[in-house]
Amino acid sequence: MTSYKDLGLVNTKDMFAKAIKGGFAIPAYNFNNMEQMQAIIQACVETKSPVILQVSAGARKYANSNLLRNMARGAVEYAHELGCDIPIVLHLDHGDSFELCKDCIESGFSSVMIDGSHLSYEDNVALTKKVCDFAHSQKAYVTVEGELGVLAGVEDEVSHEHSNYTQPEEVEDFVKKTGVDSLAISIGTSHGATKFKPEQCTKNADGVLIPPELRFDILEAIEKRIPGFPIVLHGSSSVPVQYTKMIEQFGGKMKDTVGIPEEQLRRAAKSAVCKINIDSDGRLAMTAIIRKVFAENPAEFDPRKYLGPARDELKKLYSHKNKEVLGSAGQA
Ligand code: G3H
Ligand code: 13P
Ligand code: ZN
């Protein structure tokens, strides 16, 4: 049993309270390997931003949970070495069972998501409450994120064809019955790099797909029901055209990619949305740079020569998000 406090991590309680008060959102960046983790910490230290390091079930399988936990401990020491003790949360992304959440809590996670959004309302309440009861009874309080409403989109372990928007009438009851610390909602964001079908979008003068606007009316209705309660947005990558173009330029294939425009995320960050999840943009940035290096230097076979530039680009991307999109820069 390892407590997150022993690793130098914090839970999301204070972070979210400050984010709601200050009208910004905490970045929740997924990581699976050392370079991604280095880029996140470098960017967040440089911009003085609090951060949530997210680990999916797939990441745990890929990277090994012991290694990930110790990387999070390393992240705290690394931030200190870089000169700023930013608050760092280690969070389970899309936990799908009580057992997985319990395992993470006992191995040093300071926050977990239990994603019962695909279950019936009653089963979602029961599962989320069970995780909350366990997480909150730990000596060091572990925070829990629940979800109501279903996001469309496909990633390795998270896949739904259609979205169901969150029903504002349900949120108050859900929060009360479960004791959850934050709530992920569905207002039109979606996982992956193809967030909408082309027929749902319009095209700008350059032929770039422009998605339908997020349902801010639903967000406002939810905020009225649970004023000041921390809201989470998943599926919030912007899918920058510069990266999808670069991937195609250097031999990759990207079909009908479209993300959430930055100005809509900025607007959301000013509301009760206090955690914004971003994974796909990091994948795109890394892939674009690695493809470029290989195309321009076909003889290269030292991983540091392609993972290094990919890491530098990731850092740039995360700094930009913290400063220009989420507003978390300077808030650590
Ligand atoms: O929402 C899902 C995250 O982007 C994690 O994706 O299951 O492929 O690691 P993954
Ligand atoms: P994106 O696929 O839009 O990056 O969303 C990531 C996410 O929601 C992780 O939980
Ligand atoms: Zn997600």
Side-chain angles (χ1 to χ4, degrees):
M1 167 89 195
T2 308
S3 164
Y4 66 86
K5 291 218 163 150
D6 299 333
L7 304 180
L9 301 163
V10 298
N11 68 24
T12 58
K13 267 261 181 265
D14 286 355
M15 243 185 216
F16 286 173
K18 281 186 195 147
I20 291 181
K21 232 175 138 195
F24 64 94
I26 310 287
Y29 297 131
N30 289 71
F31 81 108
N32 301 263
N33 68 19
M34 183 187 75
E35 283 78 8
Q36 291 170 322
M37 202 272 275
Q38 287 174 316
I40 297 169
I41 297 301
Q42 288 171 10
C44 291
V45 163
E46 245 182 58
T47 58
K48 297 207 174 357
S49 169
V51 69
I52 297 173
L53 292 172
Q54 295 203 135
V55 171
S56 68
R60 263 175 55 107
K61 260 187 245 153
Y62 175 79
N64 178 279
S65 57
N66 268 321
L67 279 177
L68 285 173
R69 180 232 332 246
N70 282 296
M71 280 168 79
R73 182 204 300 265
V76 173
E77 290 178 18
Y78 185 43
H80 183 75
E81 186 190 320
L82 292 177
C84 186
D85 289 315
I86 54 170
I88 301 176
V89 169
L90 179 63
H91 175 78
L92 169 67
D93 190 24
H94 292 284
D96 61 354
S97 68
F98 172 76
E99 291 68 28
L100 174 59
C101 292
K102 179 172 182 283
D103 197 40
C104 286
I105 290 166
E106 289 180 338
S107 70
F109 282 60
S110 56
S111 179
V112 293
M113 173 188 194
I114 178 69
D115 182 356
S117 59
H118 54 289
L119 302 172
S120 70
Y121 180 76
E122 289 71 27
D123 289 351
N124 189 1
V125 167
L127 178 59
T128 306
K129 180 175 175 357
K130 189 173 173 189
V131 172
C132 288
D133 288 348
F134 182 76
H136 297 165
S137 66
Q138 300 303 299
K139 209 164 142 216
Y141 187 102
V142 172
T143 41
V144 180
E145 174 184 325
E147 177 160 344
L148 264 182
V150 179
L151 270 68
V154 181
E155 282 179 71
D156 289 358
E157 313 257 335
V158 188
S159 159
H160 294 284
E161 204 179 332
H162 302 288
S163 66
N164 282 321
Y165 297 131
T166 305
Q167 295 177 31
E169 314 79 74
E170 289 183 345
V171 295
E172 199 180 346
D173 185 65
F174 186 82
V175 165
K176 242 192 226 147
K177 282 192 176 143
T178 58
V180 81
D181 301 283
S182 61
L183 184 66
I185 59 165
S186 171
I187 56 165
T189 61
S190 154
H191 289 114
T194 302
K195 299 194 182 296
F196 303 93
K197 299 200 175 86
E199 55 271 25
Q200 293 175 280
C201 303
T202 51
K203 273 191 183 165
N204 73 9
D206 302 323
V208 175
L209 291 173
I210 308 296
E213 193 172 76
L214 295 180
R215 292 292 303 270
F216 286 101
D217 57 324
I218 298 179
L219 174 58
E220 278 159 26
I222 290 169
E223 285 185 275
K224 275 198 190 122
R225 304 257 177 177
I226 43 174
F229 191 80
I231 301 294
V232 177
L233 283 190
H234 282 245
S236 296
S237 277
S238 296
V239 189
V241 177
Q242 81 205 71
Y243 295 138
T244 54
K245 279 218 169 113
M246 203 190 282
I247 289 173
E248 289 189 318
Q249 182 190 347
F250 295 111
K253 280 206 177 97
M254 295 265 95
K255 201 169 174 295
D256 298 333
T257 49
V258 55
I260 310 297
E262 290 186 347
E263 52 293 356
Q264 292 188 39
L265 295 172
R266 258 195 299 269
R267 180 172 164 193
K270 290 190 177 128
S271 71
V273 169
C274 60
K275 171 174 180 270
I276 292 192
N277 286 14
I278 295 164
D279 187 2
S280 296
D281 283 354
R283 297 178 181 200
L284 292 166
M286 283 195 97
T287 303
I289 297 299
I290 290 171
R291 278 193 175 279
K292 182 170 186 287
V293 172
F294 282 146
E296 290 173 351
N297 309 286
E300 190 54 74
F301 66 96
D302 179 346
R304 293 170 298 186
K305 298 283 167 49
Y306 51 89
L307 292 175
R311 179 181 62 196
D312 295 344
E313 187 63 36
L314 265 185
K315 179 189 165 188
K316 250 179 28 204
L317 170 77
Y318 294 139
S319 296
H320 167 77
K321 302 247 181 219
N322 294 351
K323 285 194 265 194
E324 311 297 339
V325 185
L326 310 180
S328 63
Q331 302 288 351

